[in-house]
Amino acid sequence: MEHLSSDERMMGEALAEAASALEAGVFPVGAVLARGAQVLGRAHKSMASNHLSHAEMNLFHRVFMGDYRFSRADGLTLYTTLEPCVMCFGTLLHLPIARLVYAMEDAYGGCASVTLTGAPLRHQHRPVEIVAGVRRSEAKALFATFLDTTSELFWREGGAPPFQAAVRGTGRADV
């Protein structure tokens, strides 16, 4: 039996969410929020061509609505199959999330490597540990299947060329 690290196990949960999105014909991003080995919530991108239905945002709405009692001291980790965009990463900074673990970099719109130098003070003092590349090949395979089977015009006409090149191995080198 293969031994998986806790990050690999939790990323497996996010990959399962992404597979659910793919089965529905939606861009396969899955996200899981955990405290240690406890899954606090899970979600996937829920609508095609909707800029607000990102997996992370859907997850944040499920876990952090109302009177939640989490703090940064709880050591919450967000697992996602794709490097978060500026909207999702910015929201993450407002929440009590201490770690971000993602499977595949987003050569088109990922923002996890953005530095906060010069950002408002509120954001400069919210360090987030970032771990990239966990189960990357599995996430990449889901994205490749999506690109090969989608009927969405944006993707069929070659939208997000850097992302498509990274998925297909024709651009940015695999990490």
Side-chain angles (χ1 to χ4, degrees), residues 3-154:
H3 174 69
L4 297 177
S5 71
S6 59
D7 282 347
E8 290 169 328
R9 279 193 305 278
M10 287 297 174
M11 186 58 72
E13 299 286 331
L15 287 163
E17 284 295 317
S20 293
L22 182 61
E23 288 174 19
V26 176
F27 191 66
V29 178
V32 168
L33 186 70
R35 178 174 40 202
Q38 178 188 11
V39 173
L40 302 173
R42 62 184 77 233
H44 56 270
K45 183 162 173 51
S46 55
M47 294 177 64
S49 300
N50 181 312
H51 298 293
L52 299 176
S53 71
H54 290 195
E56 300 90 340
M57 299 304 289
N58 290 338
L59 174 64
F60 297 158
H61 281 277
R62 289 181 185 158
V63 175
F64 296 109
M65 291 299 266
D67 187 23
Y68 65 86
R69 303 208 183 273
F70 300 111
S71 74
R72 293 185 66 73
D74 289 320
L76 303 183
T77 300
L78 172 64
Y79 295 90
T80 184
T81 56
L82 186 65
E83 179 183 7
C85 70
V86 67
M87 174 181 66
C88 296
F89 190 74
T91 303
L92 177 151
L93 292 175
H94 282 273
L95 296 171
I97 297 171
R99 291 181 74 230
L100 165 65
V101 178
Y102 64 88
M104 187 172 162
E105 73 286 348
D106 183 352
Y108 179 66
C111 290
S113 62
V114 171
T115 64
L116 298 176
T117 306
L121 288 176
R122 176 181 184 175
H123 302 299
Q124 289 180 22
H125 302 292
R126 291 182 182 259
V128 175
E129 177 189 349
I130 298 172
V131 178
V134 174
R135 298 182 72 167
R136 182 184 188 279
S137 62
E138 293 164 79
K140 185 177 176 180
L142 288 172
F143 292 120
T145 299
F146 173 81
L147 292 175
D148 290 342
T149 60
T150 186
S151 61
E152 285 189 54
L153 197 55
F154 174 79

Side-chain angles (χ1 to χ4, degrees), residues 156-168:
R156 303 293 315 154
E157 292 182 346
F163 176 80
Q164 291 207 36
V167 169
R168 299 194 188 287

